[in-house]
Structures are given as structure tokens and as C-alpha cells.
Amino acid sequence: MKNTILALGAVSTLGLMMVSPALAATYEVTVLNKMSGELIAPVLVADTMYDNKIFDGASVTAAAKVQVLTGNPAELAASIGDGATVANGMDGPPGVLLAPGKTITFTVETEAKNLRIFAMVAPTMVPDNYLTAIFDLSTAAFPGMMGDDNTASDGMATDNMASDSMASDGMASNGMGSDGMMASDPMMASETMTMGDGSTEIELSRFDIGSDEGTNTTTPIGGMGFASVSIKRIK
């Protein structure tokens, strides 16, 4: 009888472990528009588990296409549900865009391991373009965590990280920014850079969905410096 009770207790405990939800974390997200003359429409952020709501083979889904062509993420956000967060700028018209050199900061509460950032480039110069990246949330530490153990002072920032050929061995010229290596696949996670405040920053890549050309096929736009996203865990 005693063994039976212990066995039942073990099963009960296992059941509780299986149904207990994962704890959500809270992150502070900052988006910076690095473009000189183009604005960014409202930004949608979601767990990469919802990528099938955004991408469809060599193109984007119908809901994502609405966002890319109109700047309105409402339909895409509705298809994702509670897992989507939408952040607006204050520029424009219509007063919800993010102007060159401006930032927006907002919070995201999620259980995700990776976040998808997705936004339209306002068609003031070029139609049907969007920005996107995958952010690895394991790199987004609590403030102070990255500096307390000398990661910021033990040579990471001074051991020629900026000069030991990361900047000169062709990182900027060997095609990473120009041949689509960084922007050839919207499903590929972006490389991260740790900032002094413990946040982690990534660059957004740019794509054209081929709507005006009639191809309806997504192609990468070479180059970097379109926009960046920095994230740090605050809770």
C-alpha cells in the first residue's frame, strides 16, 4: 500500500510538472531606424513559433503581405493572437511611423526563446519592402550581468575585437553585407553584439516581396544599416 501511494504521488508530481506553464520573462525592446530618408511602419514582434503565420515558402503569407503593402499589422497580429506585440512610432503622417534616426522602446512579455521582428519600410522611396530578423533571447541578459563578471572589461572590448580583422578582414566587404549572406534568409538568426548596459543588439535585414514586379517572390536587399534592435531582460 505504501509503495502504491508513493507511486501515485510520483505520477501526480510528474503530471503537475507536465502541465505547469513555463515562466514568461519581460524584455525591453528598442528599435532604431538607421535609414537616412525612409520611415519604418509599426513593428510586429512575436515568437518564432509563429513564423508560419508570416512566411509562406518563397513569399509571405496573405496577412503579412497586407502589413508589407499597407503598413498595418492588424491582420497579421490577429492571425498570431496573444503572441504578437505591436509597437508604433510617433512620426508620419499618419503619426505611427518611425522616422530616420528615431527610436521606439517597448516591453514584451514572452516565454519564447527566439523573437521575430517584422516591419514594413514605408514606401516613400521603394514599394513592398520589409525589415526582419530573429533575436536569440538567451543573449539578452539582465542589466549588469554582462559587466559584473568582467565580460565587458576582460578584453572583450579591448582585445582588438574591433580591430583584429573583424572590421578589416572583409566583414564589411567580403559580402556579408552585400551578397546577401546576412540577408539571404529571413529564417536565419542574426548575429548579436553585446552593449555596455547588458542589452544585445542585432541588425535588421531588408527584403522585397516582388509585388510591384509581379514575381511575388521574396528577394534580399543587400547591405546593412537599415535598422537595429536592442533587447535586454528586465524581469
Side-chain angles (χ1 to χ4, degrees):
M1 177 65 74
K2 183 177 179 181
N3 288 338
T4 302
I5 293 173
L6 288 174
L8 288 173
V11 171
S12 178
T13 301
L14 179 61
L16 287 173
M17 292 173 63
M18 293 177 65
V19 299
S20 296
L23 295 177
T26 303
Y27 301 89
E28 182 180 87
V29 181
T30 299
V31 180
L32 167 64
N33 183 351
K34 293 185 173 182
M35 296 181 290
S36 61
E38 296 172 281
L39 292 83
I40 299 175
V43 179
L44 182 142
V45 177
D47 190 329
T48 51
M49 68 181 291
Y50 299 110
D51 270 2
N52 63 331
K53 303 289 186 179
I54 302 174
F55 303 105
D56 183 13
S59 187
V60 293
T61 63
K65 187 174 183 179
V66 170
Q67 180 175 350
V68 175
L69 295 181
T70 70
N72 187 350
E75 185 173 335
L76 180 56
S79 71
I80 294 173
D82 293 339
T85 298
V86 174
N88 302 318
M90 300 178 64
D91 308 302
V96 295
L97 306 180
L98 184 61
K102 298 287 188 69
T103 63
I104 52 173
T105 299
F106 54 98
T107 59
V108 174
E109 185 175 350
T110 182
E111 300 170 6
K113 294 181 179 179
N114 298 284
L115 281 184
R116 165 70 62 185
I117 296 91
F118 190 80
M120 168 206 196
V121 178
T124 52
M125 295 184 181
V126 182
D128 67 10
N129 278 204
Y130 70 85
L131 302 173
T132 193
I134 295 175
F135 200 109
D136 178 359
L137 290 177
S138 69
T139 66
F142 283 108
M145 282 181 65
M146 299 306 294
D148 291 342
D149 60 1
N150 296 321
T151 53
S153 60
D154 65 359
M156 233 182 127
T158 60
D159 65 357
N160 300 321
M161 186 174 180
S163 61
D164 67 356
S165 78
M166 272 191 80
S168 60
D169 68 357
M171 183 174 180
S173 61
N174 67 0
M176 277 189 82
S178 59
D179 69 358
M181 182 174 173
M182 290 291 290
S184 62
D185 186 356
M187 310 300 286
M188 184 174 73
S190 299
E191 292 190 8
T192 60
M193 177 182 295
T194 302
M195 314 306 288
D197 63 352
S199 64
T200 307
E201 182 177 288
I202 62 171
E203 292 286 322
L204 296 185
S205 298
R206 183 168 179 168
F207 297 84
D208 186 312
I209 65 170
S211 180
D212 63 319
E213 297 89 349
T215 63
N216 294 311
T217 299
T218 298
T219 56
I221 305 299
M224 296 178 69
F226 301 114
S228 65
V229 176
S230 61
I231 299 181
K232 62 181 175 182
R233 183 173 175 177
I234 58 176
K235 185 177 178 182

